[in-house]
Amino acid sequence: MKIIGFTASPRKQGNTAWVINKILESAKEQGGETESWYISDLDIKPCLSCYGCRKGDKGCIINDDMQKLYNTIETADALILGSPVYMGQMSAQAKTFTDRLFASKQFSPRFSPHFKETNTTKKKLILVFTQGNPDPGMFQVYFEYTKKMFQMLNFDVKEVVVVTGMRSESAHEQKGLQAGMNELGSKLILE
Ligand SMILES: Cc1cc2nc3c(=O)[nH]c(=O)nc-3n(C[C@H](O)[C@H](O)[C@H](O)COP(=O)(O)O)c2cc1C
């Protein structure tokens, strides 16, 4: 089973990266094949809304690092997309990446005339959000909405991890978080 983690924070040693890495480490211990990408390291341009992806069979026409990601995502069974909460939403890096999934035939059943439900098995997805605010309910409506959006894109959303209180302590300082993320990584492989 291949699992790819995408960190959409510019802080490679930050909270979001830490959480994703714990899930990936545990999945690897259970025999999973893992891969990790930092979106800030990549040249990923915003969608041009040219609908080039709908006009032929070549997919997205923008020649940037997203092309590498389309290829590797195609071979994955599960993705982890993690973002810090910025102004109550996902980061710009996460949104740019998400918009570009529009060009993929596997992810746009509501949008793509090329999509065929029978051709593709749903990929599992774990969403990770980290936030400064200690209140887990603060952005709940947004997280629920985002989960639904990814389900519409044809993902089997297994979990939305929300890690709160990053103003007072970092993710690696939170008691019990590592154990919880290890469990999630194992579940991803075993279930
Ligand atoms: C531009 C910016 C906007 C932010 N907006 C929010 C916010 O709306 N609510 C919140 O709880 N935390 C907010 N934060 C705090 C981050 O979500 C929090 O520190 C997060 O854990 C950072 O993740 P990282 O360590 O992976 O970069 C913001 C941080 C930045 C830099």
Side-chain angles (χ1 to χ4, degrees):
M1 178 170 184
K2 180 170 169 182
I3 303 128
I4 311 179
F6 295 99
T7 298
S9 164
R11 292 173 6 110
K12 288 166 81 171
Q13 312 290 329
N15 300 308
T16 313
W18 186 87
V19 174
I20 293 174
N21 287 332
K22 291 299 153 204
I23 303 172
L24 286 176
E25 278 166 24
S26 148
K28 196 171 183 177
E29 273 167 26
Q30 294 297 330
E33 182 195 343
T34 61
E35 199 175 289
S36 181
W37 296 86
Y38 294 91
I39 292 181
S40 292
D41 281 350
L42 303 172
D43 170 30
I44 301 180
K45 298 188 173 63
C47 174
L48 291 173
S49 186
C50 66
Y51 286 79
C53 56
R54 300 293 182 267
K55 286 171 193 154
D57 261 344
K58 293 202 179 92
C60 184
I61 62 144
I62 305 174
N63 190 14
D64 63 6
D65 287 337
M66 196 65 197
Q67 298 299 340
K68 286 192 262 194
L69 300 191
Y70 289 132
N71 289 338
T72 191
I73 286 170
E74 209 169 319
T75 65
D77 303 288
L79 308 187
I80 305 168
L81 174 61
S83 172
V85 170
Y86 283 176
M87 308 307 186
Q89 301 176 28
M90 66 173 72
S91 66
Q93 291 90 333
K95 184 66 167 70
T96 304
F97 169 80
T98 304
D99 285 353
R100 293 288 298 281
L101 295 179
F102 182 79
S104 171
K105 288 174 202 166
Q106 352 170 35
F107 295 129
S108 311
R110 300 294 190 286
F111 310 117
S112 172
H114 303 299
F115 179 84
K116 290 198 177 59
E117 193 90 41
T118 48
N119 283 353
T120 171
T121 12
K122 287 189 180 191
K123 293 187 197 297
K124 297 177 187 178
L125 177 69
I126 293 178
L127 289 169
V128 173
F129 289 103
T130 68
Q131 65 183 57
N133 197 292
D135 178 1
M138 179 64 97
F139 307 112
Q140 203 52 44
V141 172
Y142 175 74
F143 300 145
E144 277 302 314
Y145 168 79
T146 305
K147 177 181 176 181
K148 282 203 184 92
M149 185 271 294
F150 277 103
Q151 286 169 333
M152 280 171 59
L153 281 175
N154 206 37
F155 281 101
D156 175 13
V157 183
K158 290 293 181 195
E159 192 86 29
V160 183
V161 177
V162 179
V163 182
T164 64
M166 301 291 94
R167 273 181 213 147
S168 44
E169 54 179 2
S170 303
H172 72 271
E173 296 169 317
Q174 287 207 357
K175 271 204 179 122
L177 186 58
Q178 178 160 347
M181 294 308 100
N182 287 345
E183 204 180 313
L184 204 54
S186 305
K187 258 173 66 181
L188 197 59
I189 298 288
L190 301 173
E191 285 178 7

